[in-house]
Amino acid sequence: MPRSVTLRRTPAALLLSCALLAGTTACGDSGDTAGGNAASASAAANSSGASPSASAEKQRLAKTRFVANAGLAAGATYQWIVKPYRAGTFKKGAEGRKFALVKAGLAGGFAYNRLKAATENAKGDPLLSKAVAPLTAGIESLKGLGTKLRKGEAGEGDIGAFESVIDSIKNAGKDAGAEVKDKVPSTSQLTG
């Protein structure tokens, strides 16, 4: 980029930044009589604690993310692990067995990943964090099951482990006010 173009854009960027800054300070609380919004914004920024509304927003987002991640894990587990297993698709000689096993392996890895993310999300809400904390060992036990499924080595106990962990996560979420509903991810979400 030629130097003259850069020099012309710098004042424009500076002017735009100042306009945005002035606009945000002008949109403050109209009842502020102790020295203007800039002073109150500065005081709020310097305070060590977060505002109650920011804390409530963080908790709400933690629950929303928890529900989304746990829902995807539950949907993937049911759609591509539990359902085909019960239908007998994983048995030797079954039609579409190889494809079902590959999908189950991907779904197992995906579900493990989403459950780990859900436990991280739960840390943002005290009630949800307490409800989910005892389930981390169960989630860790699922770590290698994706590979086991893909190789066709998973049995009834392995499928039951997935179901048990998913049910526990759903119950913990419900008890903490974050009800989890199955959401089946797309095939592209499983692979990427």
Side-chain angles (χ1 to χ4, degrees), residues 4-186:
S4 63
V5 173
T6 305
L7 290 176
R8 282 185 278 172
R9 288 185 180 172
T10 302
L14 183 60
L15 183 61
L16 181 60
S17 297
C18 289
L20 288 172
L21 182 61
T24 58
T25 59
C27 294
D29 182 19
S30 62
D32 185 19
T33 58
N37 291 327
S40 63
S42 175
N46 290 333
S47 69
S48 61
S51 69
S53 62
S55 177
E57 182 69 14
K58 183 178 177 184
Q59 286 181 4
R60 186 180 67 77
L61 289 175
K63 280 186 176 182
T64 302
R65 289 179 180 143
F66 169 82
V67 168
N69 282 318
L72 285 168
T77 299
Y78 179 73
Q79 183 70 26
W80 289 301
I81 297 173
V82 174
K83 197 172 159 184
Y85 182 80
R86 288 186 181 152
T89 310
F90 295 164
K91 292 181 181 175
K92 289 185 180 182
E95 187 176 329
R97 178 178 186 258
K98 286 183 182 181
F99 186 64
L101 289 174
V102 168
K103 269 188 141 174
L106 290 171
F110 177 83
Y112 171 76
N113 181 295
R114 293 298 86 209
L115 288 171
K116 291 291 284 181
T119 57
E120 282 300 311
N121 300 140
K123 291 178 182 176
D125 180 79
L127 185 60
L128 193 55
S129 180
K130 286 180 185 176
V132 173
L135 305 175
T136 55
I139 293 169
E140 280 302 314
S141 72
L142 302 177
K143 190 173 187 172
L145 287 182
T147 304
K148 203 171 179 183
L149 283 164
R150 191 171 49 250
K151 291 180 178 179
E153 299 169 353
E156 180 70 36
D158 299 320
I159 304 303
F162 262 107
E163 281 186 297
S164 175
V165 169
I166 294 294
D167 289 342
S168 298
I169 286 286
K170 284 179 158 183
N171 290 334
K174 187 175 183 179
D175 292 345
E179 189 170 349
V180 176
K181 297 183 189 231
D182 292 8
K183 183 174 187 219
V184 178
S186 66

